[in-house]
Amino acid sequence: MGKQATRVSYGNALVKYGADENIVVLDADLSKSTKTDMFKKAYPERFINCGIAEADMMCVAAGLATCGKIAFASTFAMFAAGRSFEQIRNSIGYPQLNVKIGATHAGISVGEDGASHQCLEDIALMRTIPGMVIINPADDIEAQLAVKAAIEHDGPVYMRFGRLAVEDVNPTDYKFELGKGVQLRDGKDVTIIATGLMVQEALKAADMLAAEGIDARVVNIHTIKPIDEEIITKAAEETGAIVTAEEHYIMGGLGSAVTEVVCANAPCPVKIIGTDRYGKSGKPAELFVEYGLTAENMAAQAKAAIALKK
Amino acid sequence: MDAKRATELAIIANRVREHALEGVYTAQAGHPGGSLSIADVLTYLYFEVMNVDPKNPQNPDRDRFVLSKGHTAPALYGTLAERGFFPVEDCKTFRSINSYLQGHPDMKKVPGVDMSTGSLGQGVCVAGGMALAAKLDRKDYRVYSILGDGELEEGQVWEQAMFAPHYKLDNLTIFIDNNGLQIDGDITKVMNPTPIDKKFEAFGWNVVIADAHDYNDLERAVNEAKACKGKPTAVIMKSVKGKNVSFMENQAAWHGTAPNEEQYNMAIAELEDRISELEASL
């Protein structure tokens, strides 16, 4: 099994799928970190550095899109969804323009940079925008295929990538389907629904639970919006208890999206793993432990959810 | 421009003002002051300058226009209606529940609107993106945008002020509607954006000063913009907020206030008088 940071997958995929003359990649002075420098090297005439000016970048991307371009606007998640929220809402979301936001360095796994750069609210912010597609890929192949899907989808897409290398969770012949969750492991006692970097931990949690005789299903939700209602409802009906896990605030993220579906279709206990406080500096592995974003906590919360079953 | 054409444009611009006021009056909501101040430049752009076709509003090679000061949509709708993009009668449906004429321009709903705007500072950046697209595609269409002078207080305007000269977007021309007033009053007292000309010059723009209500002056400005290579152009238009409705002129209070019936009738009567005089002089 390989290991790759999904921001690197983003850079690779932009080169791999970026031959279309209509694709333009924009960055805000972070191309070495977001890995759009790979695209810059391959297609320098279609790479636009906007300088440290994210608000302008989002609107320039919108303008390019009105003229038929597929505009990728890249920066850290904090400055994409955070700083430029209103530009995305009004100039990209409202007119449903064909802009793809490549948001890297999402989540607490940014590590040492600390709270100012650990974006834990981007999913919540982007979920409020009607028509916005949100993809939070779990591994290299999924991230690359997400970029391809974003190119093929007509309309705004927010892609969430990480700085930290992540283990492969999908097979090499993996087929990515926008808006469809992936059941990585079947189970009947509880379902762990995870996204992004947390998917690899969810698989480990299922192993831990299996050792205790608990049969846990694992579902990877890479597309948080539009969310796969079918796979979530099925999990609620068949396992009767759910744990969600994400590198994000508890409010408004995957956990909220899942509970909205579960409450409407098949109410059952849902334990949401996330945080409700700012991040801090530290090594990603240390931060995961401190913030409860571990397989151990997923297993513990799974048991707590099972205990709540009627 | 010959005097006859200038008079014809002035007549159209006053009709645009009537449509704008009709919409604001009917809705009892909207922004008359800034709409009246840009009626002349909108008329000049849509009737003399821009390559646009009401029968083919999505033509990829058309010139683009972005109303960065989106709250003055009534003037844009009046101009597009006069130009034939949709029936002039629809202007009175402005801001009403079943109308496509939203309170601020919506490119998905209104034929001829190239970008949805309303949140200040964003439109001019979008216009920069459009101008960049033309450069990337080696197309010769041009991009025009109108900003308010108060809008210059938005920080992202200056992000684009750096961007457009950096990428040598000489196909981009922006007009600053320098009427000197914003909601809370005199722009120099609320948050002084002056000297506007020196700022744009310092950012690397070709700067032209023009009278917003003089077609010959606007023509000179646009010609200077077209002749300037390697730099975007900022036309700083000295304008009168509330132009041609005497009781609204130079009054910040008319920024976002709808006229009552008496005021509306007075305004239309004044504009009709102006149109009659202009027609008589043809």
Side-chain angles (χ1 to χ4, degrees):
Chain A
M1 294 293 258
K3 214 171 174 189
Q4 181 79 282
T6 52
R7 61 170 171 151
V8 179
S9 316
Y10 177 52
N12 279 321
L14 286 175
V15 174
K16 192 168 170 185
Y17 303 114
D20 182 343
E21 284 290 316
N22 278 323
I23 292 172
V24 180
V25 175
L26 302 100
D27 207 301
D29 191 42
L30 288 170
S31 65
K32 290 181 181 66
S33 301
T34 62
K35 299 302 173 189
T36 61
D37 61 344
M38 298 162 83
F39 182 89
K40 179 187 179 180
K41 199 174 164 203
Y43 304 106
E45 68 288 352
R46 288 189 278 121
F47 176 82
I48 301 294
N49 205 328
C50 296
I52 311 166
E54 297 82 7
D56 184 52
M57 175 175 71
M58 292 302 171
C59 294
V60 167
L64 286 165
T66 68
C67 296
K69 298 296 180 191
I70 303 169
F72 280 79
S74 310
T75 183
F76 291 178
M78 191 69 255
F79 314 126
R83 189 188 194 95
S84 312
F85 171 75
E86 201 248 1
Q87 283 76 17
I88 296 171
R89 180 204 187 269
N90 274 326
S91 288
I92 296 172
Y94 180 50
Q96 290 291 294
L97 292 173
N98 207 12
V99 174
K100 319 302 171 184
I101 300 158
T104 68
H105 295 62
I108 204 156
S109 58
V110 167
E112 292 82 350
D113 271 350
S116 64
H117 284 56
Q118 289 159 330
C119 188
L120 296 167
E121 56 269 74
D122 52 335
I123 296 172
L125 289 164
M126 292 297 109
R127 281 186 68 221
T128 63
I129 297 174
M132 178 65 74
V133 170
I134 305 170
I135 312 174
N136 186 31
D139 68 1
D140 180 37
I141 190 168
E142 193 165 279
Q144 294 211 35
L145 293 174
V147 173
K148 183 169 180 278
I151 292 168
E152 289 162 359
H153 174 81
D154 183 23
V157 178
Y158 181 86
M159 292 164 290
R160 186 184 209 237
F161 302 113
R163 175 176 181 267
L164 187 69
V166 60
E167 295 157 21
D168 290 340
V169 296
N170 292 300
T172 49
D173 64 345
Y174 177 61
K175 300 271 181 290
F176 179 89
E177 208 179 335
L178 197 65
K180 290 285 175 203
V182 182
Q183 185 174 303
L184 291 171
R185 178 190 289 226
D186 198 10
K188 62 181 189 329
D189 298 330
V190 63
T191 303
I192 305 173
I193 301 178
T195 189
L197 200 61
M198 290 294 106
V199 176
Q200 62 183 15
E201 298 304 311
L203 290 168
K204 289 173 199 161
D207 285 341
M208 290 175 189
L209 290 164
E212 296 182 50
I214 297 168
D215 189 15
R217 182 178 296 188
V218 176
V219 170
N220 166 22
I221 293 288
H222 50 70
T223 308
I224 296 174
K225 187 176 181 177
I227 201 156
D228 185 346
E229 290 205 29
E230 196 184 332
I231 202 168
I232 294 167
T233 304
K234 197 162 168 274
E237 286 169 348
E238 293 177 1
T239 70
I242 289 175
V243 176
T244 67
E246 63 199 300
E247 274 193 279
H248 191 273
Y249 289 133
I250 290 167
M251 288 70 72
L254 172 72
S256 295
V258 167
T259 50
E260 285 162 18
V261 173
V262 170
C263 288
N265 297 349
C268 75
V270 178
K271 290 284 183 183
I272 300 175
I273 296 177
T275 180
D276 61 355
R277 59 200 163 102
Y278 284 105
K280 61 184 250 189
S281 291
K283 294 195 189 319
E286 296 167 339
L287 291 164
F288 290 149
V289 171
E290 186 161 329
Y291 285 78
L293 302 172
T294 57
E296 287 78 9
N297 191 34
M298 287 180 206
Q301 294 301 321
K303 283 185 263 182
I306 291 167
L308 287 171
K309 280 199 212 182
K310 291 252 164 73
Chain B
M1 186 184 307
D2 64 53
K4 181 168 174 284
R5 186 58 184 152
T7 304
E8 288 167 354
L9 291 176
I11 292 167
I12 297 167
N14 283 320
R15 296 224 181 280
V16 167
R17 289 184 170 97
E18 290 185 337
H19 303 321
L21 289 176
E22 186 183 25
V24 174
Y25 168 66
T26 310
Q28 279 300 294
H31 298 80
S35 296
L36 296 174
S37 69
I38 63 166
D40 292 305
V41 67
L42 278 171
T43 300
Y44 176 62
L45 286 173
Y46 275 92
F47 283 82
E48 287 293 299
V49 178
M50 286 170 57
N51 170 32
V52 289
D53 178 4
K55 291 188 190 66
N56 185 15
Q58 294 298 322
N59 176 9
D61 295 327
R62 72 191 185 279
D63 289 333
R64 264 70 169 181
F65 176 78
V66 181
L67 186 62
S68 200
K69 47 176 290 187
H71 56 281
T72 54
L76 178 60
Y77 297 157
T79 309
L80 291 171
E82 280 290 322
R83 188 68 175 79
F85 282 90
F86 50 82
V88 291
E89 302 78 54
D90 289 0
C91 290
K92 64 176 173 291
T93 69
F94 174 59
R95 289 190 175 222
S96 67
I97 185 78
N98 292 318
S99 178
Y100 58 99
L101 299 178
Q102 295 295 295
H104 294 80
D106 183 337
M107 67 182 287
K108 292 291 192 198
K109 294 196 170 99
V110 187
V113 170
D114 293 324
M115 181 62 200
S116 304
T117 52
S119 181
L120 296 177
Q122 297 185 26
V124 65
C125 303
V126 172
M130 293 172 171
L132 177 66
K135 292 286 183 190
L136 290 172
D137 288 339
R138 294 184 179 80
K139 289 191 171 185
D140 60 3
Y141 62 80
R142 298 184 65 84
V143 183
Y144 299 92
S145 182
I146 301 178
L147 293 79
D149 49 7
E151 184 177 3
L152 302 179
E153 294 158 9
E154 284 286 2
Q156 81 171 98
V157 169
W158 302 100
E159 295 182 359
Q160 180 56 220
M162 277 183 275
F163 184 93
H166 184 84
Y167 286 104
K168 301 183 169 58
L169 303 180
D170 53 15
N171 54 348
L172 173 66
T173 304
I174 67 169
F175 297 85
I176 315 290
D177 181 29
N178 190 198
N179 61 37
L181 295 170
Q182 60 189 113
I183 296 179
D184 280 347
D186 182 334
I187 58 164
T188 63
K189 292 198 171 71
V190 176
M191 180 48 64
N192 190 358
T194 65
I196 297 168
D197 52 348
K198 289 191 174 62
K199 284 184 179 146
F200 276 96
E201 272 167 21
F203 276 79
W205 291 63
N206 174 42
V207 173
V208 181
I209 310 289
D211 180 335
H213 310 299
D214 179 334
Y215 297 107
N216 285 297
D217 220 26
L218 292 172
E219 183 176 53
R220 174 186 59 80
V222 168
N223 286 340
E224 285 182 30
K226 284 181 177 173
C228 180
K229 299 298 170 206
K231 284 181 177 188
T233 294
V235 181
I236 299 161
M237 303 186 303
K238 296 292 173 196
S239 68
V240 175
K241 196 158 189 156
K243 177 70 178 173
N244 282 3
V245 175
S246 50
F247 64 91
M248 290 185 178
E249 287 191 356
N250 296 310
Q251 302 293 320
W254 285 104
H255 174 91
T257 309
N260 62 26
E261 187 180 358
E262 187 189 353
Q263 290 163 333
Y264 173 66
N265 288 335
M266 274 169 56
I268 294 297
E270 184 175 342
L271 289 166
E272 280 298 312
D273 281 350
R274 288 178 189 275
I275 290 167
S276 299
E277 271 178 44
L278 289 162
E279 283 174 343
S281 74
L282 276 176

